[in-house]
Amino acid sequence: MAKILALDTSTDACSVALSLDGEIHEDFRVIPRQHTKELLPMIDALLKASSITVNDLDAIAFGRGPGSFAGIRIATGVAQGLAFGAGIALLPVSTLAALALAQHRKGYPQVVSVLDARMNEVYWGAYQEVDGLPQLIGDERVDAPANVCLPHAKSLADASSWLGAGSGWCYKEDMSSELTDAVTQIEKDVYPSAADMVRIAVADWKQGKAVAPEEALPVYLRDDVAWKKKDQQ
């Protein structure tokens, strides 16, 4: 089995996880503004506890966004630095997909992941569980809360039963009644975790989705939208 380390600093939470011999070990902490100070010691402690080094890993996964600009840069930079030094590949993982997977594992097959993007906007994506993993329906987007919507697809298990996950649901009062009526439960105080990212990364590794460190890029979404608008002008 592949030995994969995952790390995430995309929100106020900072987490590292290791998939080793079919088991997942994680250190998860909610420590706003302490990611730069704590991330490397957390990685070091987790590897030492499992009696392995970075050079023993097959790949490193990281939360590639969307999320905090500074946080995503921290995770990307650390992952790239470790991977370059060890000569191993990287597996970028969506923070929104990680949020969805946490809820899939609790028995909710359809999840709308929404993260607070500040400036009265949210990052969001709709996911359906397929073979135990989150499958994105449509695109990940940055939008005003009023524009968050449910996908319309015949393959959905139950178009009237959705769970909402993530900090962006603090804007629920600004969302459409069509959306909020269909979302039967909301888990607002949850964060993307490295443990769920490493679960996704293990599947991505098996499918050959690992990339070279220089090809592993963060996903900001807001920058993408700004460039698209500039191109259109």
Side-chain angles (χ1 to χ4, degrees), residues 155-189:
S155 61
L156 297 180
D158 183 350
S160 65
S161 180
W162 287 80
L163 180 137
S167 59
W169 285 97
C170 65
Y171 295 104
K172 179 183 175 182
E173 298 303 317
D174 299 320
M175 296 177 179
S176 69
S177 58
E178 180 183 2
L179 173 69
T180 56
D181 288 348
V183 174
T184 57
Q185 186 174 337
I186 293 173
E187 296 290 342
K188 183 174 63 175
D189 298 322

Side-chain angles (χ1 to χ4, degrees), residues 110-196:
Q110 297 181 162
V111 179
V112 183
S113 296
V114 187
L115 285 172
D116 187 356
R118 311 300 181 189
M119 297 187 289
N120 295 313
E121 290 185 323
V122 293
Y123 303 118
W124 69 278
Y127 293 85
Q128 183 172 24
E129 183 180 5
V130 177
D131 296 329
L133 293 169
Q135 178 174 294
L136 178 65
I137 305 171
D139 299 310
E140 294 180 344
R141 297 175 58 180
V142 58
D143 259 322
N147 293 333
V148 179
C149 59
L150 294 177
H152 298 285
K154 295 180 180 179
S155 61
L156 297 180
D158 183 350
S160 65
S161 180
W162 287 80
L163 180 137
S167 59
W169 285 97
C170 65
Y171 295 104
K172 179 183 175 182
E173 298 303 317
D174 299 320
M175 296 177 179
S176 69
S177 58
E178 180 183 2
L179 173 69
T180 56
D181 288 348
V183 174
T184 57
Q185 186 174 337
I186 293 173
E187 296 290 342
K188 183 174 63 175
D189 298 322
V190 293
Y191 300 91
S193 77
D196 286 309

Side-chain angles (χ1 to χ4, degrees), residues 6-229:
L7 50 103
D8 179 60
T9 56
S10 61
T11 63
D12 285 348
C14 180
S15 60
V16 297
L18 177 66
S19 178
L20 181 65
D21 298 328
E23 295 185 359
I24 294 175
H25 310 272
E26 183 188 35
D27 186 352
F28 179 95
R29 309 177 192 181
V30 179
I31 46 174
R33 296 176 296 281
Q34 297 182 53
H35 301 64
T36 303
K37 176 184 176 182
E38 299 295 337
L39 180 59
L40 284 172
M42 288 169 65
I43 292 171
D44 186 56
L46 186 63
L47 293 176
K48 284 183 177 178
S50 299
S51 300
I52 67 171
T53 69
V54 174
N55 291 323
D56 297 317
L57 298 171
D58 293 296
I60 297 174
F62 68 97
R64 51 83 164 157
S68 159
F69 279 33
I72 295 169
R73 287 196 295 270
I74 292 168
T76 304
V78 170
Q80 287 177 325
L82 292 174
F84 271 124
I88 57 178
L90 290 181
L91 293 157
V93 178
S94 164
T95 52
L96 297 176
L99 274 176
L101 179 56
Q103 302 308 318
H104 292 336
R105 293 191 299 109
K106 295 177 183 178
Y108 300 98
Q110 297 181 162
V111 179
V112 183
S113 296
V114 187
L115 285 172
D116 187 356
R118 311 300 181 189
M119 297 187 289
N120 295 313
E121 290 185 323
V122 293
Y123 303 118
W124 69 278
Y127 293 85
Q128 183 172 24
E129 183 180 5
V130 177
D131 296 329
L133 293 169
Q135 178 174 294
L136 178 65
I137 305 171
D139 299 310
E140 294 180 344
R141 297 175 58 180
V142 58
D143 259 322
N147 293 333
V148 179
C149 59
L150 294 177
H152 298 285
K154 295 180 180 179
S155 61
L156 297 180
D158 183 350
S160 65
S161 180
W162 287 80
L163 180 137
S167 59
W169 285 97
C170 65
Y171 295 104
K172 179 183 175 182
E173 298 303 317
D174 299 320
M175 296 177 179
S176 69
S177 58
E178 180 183 2
L179 173 69
T180 56
D181 288 348
V183 174
T184 57
Q185 186 174 337
I186 293 173
E187 296 290 342
K188 183 174 63 175
D189 298 322
V190 293
Y191 300 91
S193 77
D196 286 309
M197 290 180 182
V198 83
R199 290 182 173 95
I200 295 172
V202 168
D204 287 349
W205 171 262
K206 292 177 180 177
Q207 295 174 22
K209 294 183 179 180
V211 298
E214 64 271 19
E215 296 175 354
L217 302 176
V219 173
Y220 296 119
L221 288 188
R222 183 171 277 142
D223 277 1
D224 295 342
V225 171
W227 278 111
K228 286 179 182 178
K229 289 181 178 178

